[in-house]
Amino acid sequence: MKVVKFGGSSLANAEQFKKVGAIIRADKRRRYVIPSAPGKRFNGDIKVTDLLYRMADQALAQEDFSETFAQIKDRYNEIIEGLELHDFSLDDQFEEIEKRMKEDPDADFAASRGEHLNGRIMAAYLGYAFVDPFEMIFFDEDGMLDDRRTMREVEKRLSQEEYAVIPGFYGCSHDGKVKTFSRGGSDITGSIVAGACHADVYENWTDVSGFMVADPRIIKNPARIETITYRELRELSYMGASVLHEEAIFPVRRQGIPINIKNTNRPEDEGTWIVESTAQKSGYVITGIAGRKDFCAVLIYKDMMNSEIGFGRKVLQAFEDNEISFEHMPSGIDTMTIVVHEDEFIEKEQKVVSAIHRLAKPDSIEIESDLALIAVVGRGMKSMRGTAGRIFSALAHAHVNVRMIDQGSSELNIIIGVENRDFETALQAIYDIFVLTQL
Ligand code: ASP
């Protein structure tokens, strides 16, 4: 059995809906369908979810929202007409939403209607049952997913339906209100349904044929990743590669259910498989490269630091007290470096510095900014000699100065710090040495 989730661009208009319908009908095992709200139809278009948030803002400010609402209704009516669903209409739903926006406007409720309405159209179009996640996806008092209850309820409810459409992105809060996940959260709904129903595969359909080895905005036509493990994906997504919501892997991962990222516009492409573990070698020594700019390094010096017990704890205390999480912590015998996000750090910079002075009494502290971090990730690296050597010689050839090196304890990744201005050159050099030369 397969659970299939379709992203906003896969459902942006009737034409896209038809492609999705053909994909679902082509395989009877595609029993549970999770739609997003209609996304952008063309560059510069507005996602329905963004229109819904705009409408909620206007309603909350007691402004006239009728124009925004008209735009939203048009999007759905265009789809309904294009699919020639003559006996189907969302007018009752529209009326209810308008009433609610006037009487008790609420951003989560408004945003959730994007997938709710799309789900109703999809169910009518496919002839599948419509199941509202409000009845079976629950959040706890802290606003976190109530995992056990949700899994139990989803399994119970869906055992009554052979084929169903379940809108993504929302569920029910602890006090009985509609609550959404964070943006892009339909991926999580799909994962929950796949996990609860013990699917064989969770297919996540989008507008790209899977993950690329590097960011296509930086590297031209990068190679595709055929298979990636959950852990590799975590490493890459934390470094900024995003196709899938980062919380979407947990419900399926626990059960070893693979995720297959597929392209609605090119269903024949194999896409990328995300798996717990695999004997399959990646095509290259590395699986992927990702990175982000704008980090800061706080360098702390103190003679005899290595023999002072508790020094590291005191330094980290200064960051904790200021609610800053750190990314990396390479250290030397009398030095310690804490790497943090610039935007999280910059405002509290002087408070942190004085706290380190007070708590750890270092000899000196220096701050360097404009640092970019690059993660080179690959399960194949630990059994290969010379990977690090190749990375650094490639960077040297490209005249990139390496400012920091950190190999994760999993030996799954090597993190390299370079200056912001060298970021793109460094990515290209690493990509070329592993993918283009294919050694
Ligand atoms: N429609 C929501 C968003 O735009 C959720 C999703 O697409 O997954 O964030």
Side-chain angles (χ1 to χ4, degrees):
M1 190 268 279
K2 296 178 175 179
V3 169
V4 289
K5 180 256 165 181
F6 291 88
S9 56
S10 302
L11 298 166
N13 55 26
E15 197 192 324
Q16 290 298 91
F17 254 78
K18 286 180 188 164
K19 290 185 197 169
V20 167
I23 290 167
I24 295 170
R25 291 190 188 104
D27 187 343
K28 275 289 168 206
R29 290 170 301 172
R30 296 189 171 122
R31 285 176 43 202
Y32 299 131
V33 181
I34 287 80
S36 282
K40 294 183 184 180
R41 292 160 295 184
F42 44 81
N43 249 345
D45 196 15
I46 309 175
K47 293 173 81 170
V48 166
T49 308
D50 291 322
L51 290 172
L52 288 160
Y53 278 122
R54 182 187 296 170
M55 175 172 77
D57 282 346
Q58 290 167 335
L60 282 161
Q62 295 188 342
E63 289 168 14
D64 177 21
F65 59 83
S66 55
E67 207 169 292
T68 315
F69 194 33
Q71 260 178 291
I72 296 165
K73 289 189 282 192
D74 281 351
R75 292 290 307 265
Y76 288 107
N77 286 334
E78 185 190 300
I79 296 171
I80 296 168
E81 272 162 40
L83 295 177
E84 298 175 58
L85 295 173
H86 301 302
D87 307 328
F88 178 85
S89 148
L90 288 173
D91 289 347
D92 291 351
Q93 302 282 329
F94 291 151
E95 238 173 72
E96 235 178 78
I97 295 169
E98 186 170 5
K99 195 162 156 248
R100 173 75 194 267
M101 284 297 120
K102 283 185 175 149
E103 288 169 3
D104 177 22
D106 176 83
D108 274 33
F109 174 79
S112 73
R113 295 307 91 182
E115 348 298 284
H116 183 96
L117 299 175
N118 231 17
R120 286 190 178 269
I121 300 179
M122 178 65 89
Y125 180 55
L126 294 172
Y128 280 23
F130 174 84
V131 177
D132 196 333
F134 186 69
E135 299 167 29
M136 56 183 193
I137 292 183
F138 296 99
F139 295 92
D140 64 19
E141 278 167 26
D142 303 323
M144 307 299 282
L145 178 71
D146 184 342
D147 197 49
R148 289 177 68 182
R149 182 172 175 211
T150 296
M151 291 314 232
R152 198 177 57 227
E153 294 299 325
V154 171
E155 186 175 12
K156 199 163 87 192
R157 178 67 186 84
L158 291 182
S159 66
Q160 299 161 24
E161 307 291 349
E162 197 171 357
Y163 295 97
V165 173
I166 305 110
F169 193 38
Y170 70 95
C172 176
S173 71
H174 77 284
D175 52 358
K177 293 200 183 118
V178 168
K179 180 174 164 49
T180 66
F181 291 106
S182 56
R183 294 301 303 265
S186 298
D187 286 339
I188 311 176
T189 311
S191 183
I192 291 170
V193 172
C197 300
H198 315 287
D200 298 302
V201 184
Y202 170 26
E203 286 180 350
N204 191 297
W205 292 80
T206 170
D207 53 8
V208 288
S209 296
F211 298 119
M212 303 297 139
V213 172
D215 187 341
R217 285 167 302 186
I218 301 173
I219 310 290
K220 247 196 180 158
N221 291 324
R224 182 175 56 83
I225 301 176
E226 286 168 24
T227 309
I228 184 168
T229 65
Y230 288 123
R231 283 174 53 202
E232 289 175 313
L233 182 63
R234 284 287 296 157
E235 299 284 352
L236 286 175
S237 54
Y238 133 87
M239 268 298 159
S242 65
V243 171
L244 191 70
H245 193 294
E246 59 173 14
E247 287 162 47
I249 63 179
F250 300 108
V252 281
R253 180 180 181 174
R254 277 198 301 253
Q255 300 194 40
I257 300 168
I259 305 176
N260 190 192
I261 306 286
K262 299 272 289 176
N263 188 348
T264 300
N265 304 317
R266 295 178 56 96
E268 63 285 1
D269 287 356
E270 186 55 29
T272 295
W273 284 88
I274 311 169
V275 299
E276 175 64 47
S277 129
T278 175
Q280 264 191 53
K281 303 256 175 342
S282 28
Y284 316 100
V285 174
I286 58 162
T287 304
I289 319 163
R292 275 159 78 174
K293 289 184 177 177
D294 298 329
F295 289 90
C296 276
V298 182
L299 291 81
I300 301 149
Y301 301 88
K302 186 171 190 180
D303 281 342
M304 305 298 288
M305 176 193 291
N306 68 326
S307 56
E308 183 180 330
I309 290 170
F311 185 84
R313 180 182 50 75
K314 290 174 201 156
V315 169
L316 292 181
Q317 182 80 47
F319 287 87
E320 186 179 341
D321 291 349
N322 284 288
E323 289 180 358
I324 297 171
S325 68
F326 73 95
E327 300 296 316
H328 296 280
M329 191 177 59
S331 63
I333 191 152
D334 288 334
T335 61
M336 187 169 161
T337 308
I338 311 284
V339 180
V340 288
H341 277 284
E342 211 158 276
D343 53 0
E344 235 185 289
F345 178 68
I346 214 102
E347 270 182 21
K348 301 176 182 164
E349 176 191 89
Q350 295 310 319
K351 278 169 95 178
V352 176
V353 169
S354 62
I356 301 174
H357 273 295
R358 183 164 36 80
L359 292 163
K361 308 197 169 44
D363 295 338
S364 65
I365 298 177
E366 271 172 40
I367 298 176
E368 286 181 357
S369 56
D370 299 329
L371 193 66
L373 294 185
I374 297 171
V376 185
V377 175
R379 58 187 181 277
M381 281 183 346
K382 78 174 164 208
S383 53
M384 273 294 280
R385 266 175 298 138
T387 309
R390 287 171 65 201
I391 296 174
F392 297 117
S393 65
L395 292 175
H397 275 116
H399 305 286
V400 172
N401 184 24
V402 175
R403 302 284 301 277
M404 189 203 91
I405 305 167
D406 193 0
Q407 176 163 31
S409 40
S410 57
E411 279 194 60
L412 206 65
N413 62 1
I414 296 177
I415 309 271
I416 299 144
V418 300
E419 269 159 45
N420 269 350
R421 62 185 155 88
D422 287 336
F423 179 66
E424 286 83 6
T425 317
L427 273 183
Q428 186 75 55
I430 299 170
Y431 179 83
D432 289 351
I433 194 80
F434 287 105
V435 181
L436 290 192
T437 56
Q438 293 216 11
L439 289 168

